[in-house]
Amino acid sequence: MTATAARHPPMSAEEITKDTPELYREGYDYYCTPRGQHPNAPDTYVFTSLDKQMAFDAFAHVESISPRPLLMIAGSEADTRYFSEEAVAQAKEPKEVFVVDGATHQALVRLA
């Protein structure tokens, strides 16, 4: 890892505690184990791009989707479900949030 690269937490099973958010627990389990790892995925992002990532507001562009149909799929237990609900709230018809009962964010990644 270079000085300009950053990694997302946690990076090892030992770093996971009872206070680690479920999204990070499942992210580690999927992306940092042989189940989801890929040799071409460095598991880092360029630290100098973080400001650009944080400044990007996808919600500012939701109305440009209309009048195309918008279908958001979210797990009922997903930490990120509110993103889908917010996008649909801002979109014009036709739109729908399809909720997969009992699923988390990473559970849906595994289904893909």
Side-chain angles (χ1 to χ4, degrees):
M1 183 169 72
T2 66
T4 59
R7 304 181 89 172
H8 62 79
M11 295 314 305
S12 69
E14 293 76 29
E15 293 179 36
I16 298 173
T17 70
K18 64 179 180 63
D19 297 321
T20 302
E22 189 64 26
L23 182 66
Y24 288 162
R25 289 173 188 264
E26 289 189 338
Y28 169 79
D29 184 51
Y30 184 77
Y31 292 107
C32 298
T33 65
R35 280 183 46 230
Q37 282 177 327
H38 190 278
N40 293 332
D43 193 31
T44 60
Y45 60 90
V46 179
F47 186 72
T48 56
S49 69
L50 191 56
D51 63 327
K52 295 168 187 65
Q53 293 175 31
M54 294 173 71
F56 178 74
D57 180 7
F59 294 121
H61 305 283
V62 171
E63 69 180 41
S64 67
I65 295 170
S66 295
R68 293 171 205 83
L70 175 64
L71 171 63
M72 302 296 282
I73 302 171
S76 66
E77 305 304 314
D79 296 347
T80 54
R81 178 178 171 182
Y82 72 96
F83 286 120
S84 300
E85 292 169 340
E86 179 67 22
V88 168
Q90 292 184 27
K92 297 177 184 154
E93 296 291 343
K95 60 185 180 179
E96 177 185 353
V97 176
F98 182 84
V99 178
V100 179
D101 191 44
T104 62
H105 180 89
Q106 294 298 335
L108 296 176
V109 170
R110 289 190 295 266
L111 293 173

